Amino acid sequence: MLGRSTFSRTRDFRPENLGPNAVALIGNLCFTFFVFGVLIFTIIAATYEPEDPLFHPSTKISNFLTSTSNATFKSDDTEAKTGENFLAPNQTEIASFINATDVADLNSDVTVTVEGESAAAASDCEGPIDCGDPEVFHLMMTAAIEKFKDIHFYRFGKAKRGSDDTTCDMAWRYRPKEGKTASLYKDYRRFSILRSNCSLSVVDIGEYHTGVNARKNKKDRKPGFQKTSGKQEEVNTFPVYGELVNDKLPVVESEDSFRRGKYLIYVGGGDRCKSMNHYLWSFLCALGEAQYLNRTLVMDLSICLSSIYTSSNQNEEGKDFRFYFDFEHLSESASVLDQVQFWADWNKWHKKNGLSLHLVENFKVTPMKLHDVKDSLILRKFGSVEPDNYWYRVCEGETESVVQRPWHLIWKSKRLMDIVSAIASRLNWDYDSVHIERGEKAQNKDLWPNLAADTSPDSLLSTLKDKIEDGRNLYIATNEPETSFFDPLKDKYATHFLDEYKDLWDDKSEWFSETTKLNSGVPVDFDGYMRVSVDTEVFLRGKKQIETFNDLTNDCKDGVNTCSTAAS
């Protein structure tokens, strides 16, 4: 055996066998490395989780929204994304919601705290309803929780006397049970209370925002009842719609404060009268640079509304920033001044105090090169040649990795969002929504060959039958001017359109009154951008949301052969 074994090994090393053996050995090694590589790749693929920019702070949102340097914008009449669009509900510190059992167990010391003065032990059997009585307060809370089953309550305000001896007003904070947005809402309603044989009952709860006596400014808020939570809410973390809006312009406290301040202003350029997406992209570049330089941004609150949003099809000057965006949130969270007030103060004090100006006329001068400038005012002046005179050019190139656009500082107008809340409340927050884009795209068969047919009433009924239950409230957000086009859908759904709610912005509405006052007594038109913004936000609050280009047609949103891999 030993001899045969020795002979076998000797035979393997014979010259004629070395070549085949080497090939076999190399093949085995290659196969081993291949198997090992596949194993490693499989483990990585199974465990890797790519970053989702929507769950990152605003410093990374810019990278998600923008393309590469030298970006240009198409005319886009869609709603512009703002900071609250990137807040996920699980990012907010919202306390546990209140349910009926919590109200019944108000005296428990475990999870509930009650604020406010104690009232009389019981109501008299005669006389006016005492809205401050705990029995009345608990009755109203229970009635609200039982009536509005599609929302979660987070805070109840103390009840106030209503319009007469049998009514009480009460406010509360809430959000829809199936809410997909990181925001809270405030409602205040009037309760009609009946006393029978010394027993109280709620016989009616008024419509949205009817309990005006319970409405308070948020700074004066003293909650009547809310659950305790482990953490306090952080101011300005997420929007609360329904509060009184305070968008007064900030002013410099004194000449000394103005003298000590450092300012940045952008002047001129080609951004005016462009789309709202273009406007925000440039404005946030300026705001980002101001924050990087630790300076106050001097901003022009006067906006030119692009013709793509106007009924006249002409650009319209003189629109106020506060018509479209939440200036209160911006001014509380960042250092900004209105340019009209700033120039008045500058002309009054700059010579007396020796304040100097540093002029920059080239967008290629980066914010990093201005970091050590000591002058009181840095003025960036833009020329007349597009696209080099766009403000956002400042934030391109090497600046992209240094100056981040502060998206979290820009929220939508709370007045517009209150219209959204009112529409959703009238639908009891229990509706599905569909976005149907037609208009010019449906007429252009070259770029959107199937859109017109896919959004016809017959096609819609066929597509929606497996997505939306019969009889549901269906909100239709659309640019189709004739809503009667969708009448065949009424046989299966309770259809609703934006114009059904015109009373929320007509000349008798709170929105009209407040914007007219803001506009120095001149009535404000509910323009095309406002319509698009409200229509989109109501759509986004539907329980089920059906999109045009994802769900109704295979056409690409931007035309033939433009569908991205991610969207397919």
Side-chain angles (χ1 to χ4, degrees):
M1 292 179 64
L2 288 174
R4 290 161 60 181
S5 176
T6 301
F7 173 78
S8 176
R9 287 195 298 270
T10 302
R11 185 178 60 184
D12 289 342
F13 289 98
R14 289 178 178 178
E16 62 267 27
N17 293 332
L18 289 178
N21 289 343
V23 171
L25 179 61
I26 292 172
N28 290 335
L29 288 174
C30 290
F31 181 76
T32 301
F33 285 127
F34 171 77
V35 172
F36 185 77
V38 170
L39 179 62
I40 295 297
F41 178 82
T42 303
I43 293 173
I44 293 175
T47 58
Y48 175 65
E49 294 182 6
E51 293 187 1
D52 185 348
L54 298 185
F55 289 90
H56 281 288
S58 59
T59 54
K60 293 192 178 182
I61 291 175
S62 294
N63 296 332
F64 170 70
L65 287 178
T66 183
S67 57
T68 58
S69 293
N70 302 319
T72 56
F73 285 83
K74 298 178 182 179
S75 293
D76 187 354
D77 60 359
T78 59
E79 181 193 40
K81 297 291 185 183
T82 50
E84 68 271 48
N85 291 116
F86 304 102
L87 287 174
N90 61 357
Q91 289 178 289
T92 61
E93 296 177 356
I94 300 176
S96 299
F97 63 87
I98 302 167
N99 54 47
T101 58
D102 295 317
V103 179
D105 195 29
L106 271 177
N107 293 322
S108 171
D109 293 328
V110 180
T111 59
V112 177
T113 60
V114 182
E115 298 184 17
E117 298 177 359
S118 59
S123 296
D124 295 330
C125 292
E126 299 179 358
I129 301 296
D130 181 5
C131 299
D133 189 324
E135 180 185 354
V136 176
F137 183 43
H138 301 170
L139 177 68
M140 293 169 66
M141 287 192 288
T142 301
I145 292 172
E146 291 178 349
K147 178 176 177 65
F148 305 113
K149 299 183 182 300
D150 285 281
I151 65 176
H152 283 154
F153 295 83
Y154 292 90
R155 172 187 290 157
F156 285 100
K158 292 190 294 184
K160 301 290 185 179
R161 188 180 187 276
S163 58
D164 54 40
D165 290 345
T166 63
T167 60
C168 297
D169 293 356
M170 185 173 69
W172 56 81
R173 278 190 178 188
Y174 70 95
R175 65 190 307 268
K177 286 183 178 180
E178 299 183 26
K180 302 176 179 67
T181 59
S183 52
L184 286 175
Y185 304 84
K186 183 178 181 178
D187 196 358
Y188 36 92
R189 304 208 184 200
R190 181 151 292 168
F191 291 68
S192 296
I193 300 174
L194 176 67
R195 179 190 287 116
S196 178
N197 296 326
C198 294
S199 177
L200 300 175
S201 61
V202 173
V203 294
D204 183 62
I205 301 178
E207 296 298 320
Y208 181 77
H209 282 192
T210 51
V212 293
N213 293 341
R215 187 180 191 183
K216 290 183 180 179
N217 189 300
K218 64 181 180 180
K219 295 179 180 178
D220 300 327
R221 185 196 312 119
K222 292 182 180 179
F225 173 47
Q226 68 180 116
K227 279 192 175 183
T228 57
S229 59
K231 299 180 180 179
Q232 285 292 106
E233 290 179 14
E234 294 182 9
V235 178
N236 294 337
T237 301
F238 55 92
V240 179
Y241 302 124
E243 302 276 12
L244 288 170
V245 179
N246 176 21
D247 47 16
K248 293 182 179 179
L249 301 180
V251 295
V252 178
E253 295 178 355
S254 64
E255 179 180 349
D256 185 59
S257 296
F258 188 85
R259 177 181 59 82
R260 288 185 283 105
K262 300 292 183 182
Y263 308 96
L264 171 70
I265 187 170
Y266 281 33
V267 176
D271 303 275
R272 204 153 185 84
C273 304
K274 296 295 192 293
S275 73
M276 201 65 82
N277 286 290
H278 182 128
Y279 169 79
L280 277 186
W281 193 239
S282 286
F283 174 75
L284 283 169
C285 173
L287 186 58
E289 182 181 24
Q291 293 202 312
Y292 171 77
L293 297 174
N294 196 26
R295 288 175 174 263
T296 296
L297 179 67
V298 181
M299 59 180 290
D300 184 0
L301 268 74
S302 176
I303 292 178
C304 174
L305 189 67
S306 170
S307 59
I308 62 177
Y309 307 117
T310 65
S311 56
S312 65
N313 295 319
Q314 301 292 322
N315 296 331
E316 295 182 2
E317 289 278 4
K319 301 292 184 176
D320 197 303
F321 178 94
R322 294 168 290 181
F323 295 166
Y324 309 100
F325 304 106
D326 186 351
F327 185 74
E328 180 181 15
H329 170 66
L330 174 61
S331 60
E332 288 180 349
S333 307
S335 182
V336 294
L337 281 177
D338 171 42
Q339 71 167 14
V340 175
Q341 181 64 49
F342 171 80
W343 285 124
D345 292 341
W346 177 266
N347 293 331
K348 184 167 49 176
W349 292 324
H350 85 278
K351 290 183 179 179
K352 176 183 177 181
N353 292 278
L355 305 181
S356 56
L357 180 152
H358 183 89
L359 179 64
V360 181
E361 296 185 279
N362 190 336
F363 74 87
K364 294 181 180 179
V365 178
T366 67
M368 294 78 82
K369 294 178 180 178
L370 301 175
H371 192 270
D372 295 326
V373 171
K374 304 300 182 184
D375 301 87
S376 298
L377 174 63
I378 295 176
L379 189 152
R380 279 195 180 271
K381 186 177 180 180
F382 295 82
S384 58
V385 180
E386 298 186 22
D388 286 348
N389 64 347
Y390 292 160
W391 291 6
Y392 65 72
R393 299 301 301 273
V394 172
C395 295
E396 293 178 344
E398 61 179 312
T399 306
E400 285 182 335
S401 61
V402 179
V403 174
Q404 299 293 335
R405 287 175 171 82
W407 289 95
H408 61 288
L409 300 181
I410 300 296
W411 290 349
K412 295 174 181 65
S413 161
K414 287 182 179 175
R415 292 188 178 93
L416 290 179
M417 292 305 300
D418 203 29
I419 293 177
V420 173
S421 304
I423 294 173
S425 293
R426 290 185 182 183
L427 295 170
N428 293 318
W429 294 92
D430 184 21
Y431 65 95
D432 299 318
S433 56
V434 57
H435 172 246
I436 304 175
E437 186 165 349
R438 288 180 56 82
E440 294 181 1
K441 289 185 178 181
Q443 299 172 16
N444 190 331
K445 303 290 186 181
D446 294 331
L447 293 179
W448 295 277
N450 305 301
L451 181 60
D454 290 341
T455 56
S456 67
D458 288 342
S459 293
L460 289 171
L461 285 169
S462 176
T463 303
L464 294 178
K465 68 179 181 180
D466 296 325
K467 301 178 184 292
I468 307 294
E469 295 179 9
D470 290 2
R472 289 282 295 161
N473 279 320
L474 182 64
Y475 184 86
I476 300 178
T478 182
N479 61 349
E480 172 62 46
E482 296 296 331
T483 57
S484 59
F485 177 80
F486 302 105
D487 280 353
L489 276 66
K490 292 181 179 179
D491 293 337
K492 293 191 67 175
Y493 309 106
T495 58
H496 303 274
F497 300 89
L498 180 62
D499 281 340
E500 183 180 329
Y501 307 97
K502 283 183 177 180
D503 63 293
L504 295 173
W505 62 83
D506 66 14
D507 57 5
K508 297 181 179 61
S509 67
E510 182 177 346
W511 177 87
F512 184 87
S513 174
E514 292 188 0
T515 53
T516 300
K517 182 179 179 181
L518 190 65
N519 203 36
S520 302
V522 179
V524 176
D525 177 44
F526 194 75
D527 59 52
Y529 183 76
M530 296 173 183
R531 292 180 62 88
V532 168
S533 184
V534 171
D535 214 21
T536 302
E537 293 300 320
V538 176
F539 164 78
L540 291 174
R541 281 152 181 78
K543 288 186 174 180
K544 291 182 180 178
Q545 300 165 14
I546 309 299
E547 289 274 12
T548 300
F549 294 103
N550 291 330
D551 304 306
L552 301 180
T553 182
N554 290 325
D555 284 353
C556 302
K557 181 178 180 181
D558 296 319
V560 173
N561 298 326
T562 62
C563 294
S564 64
T565 304
S568 61

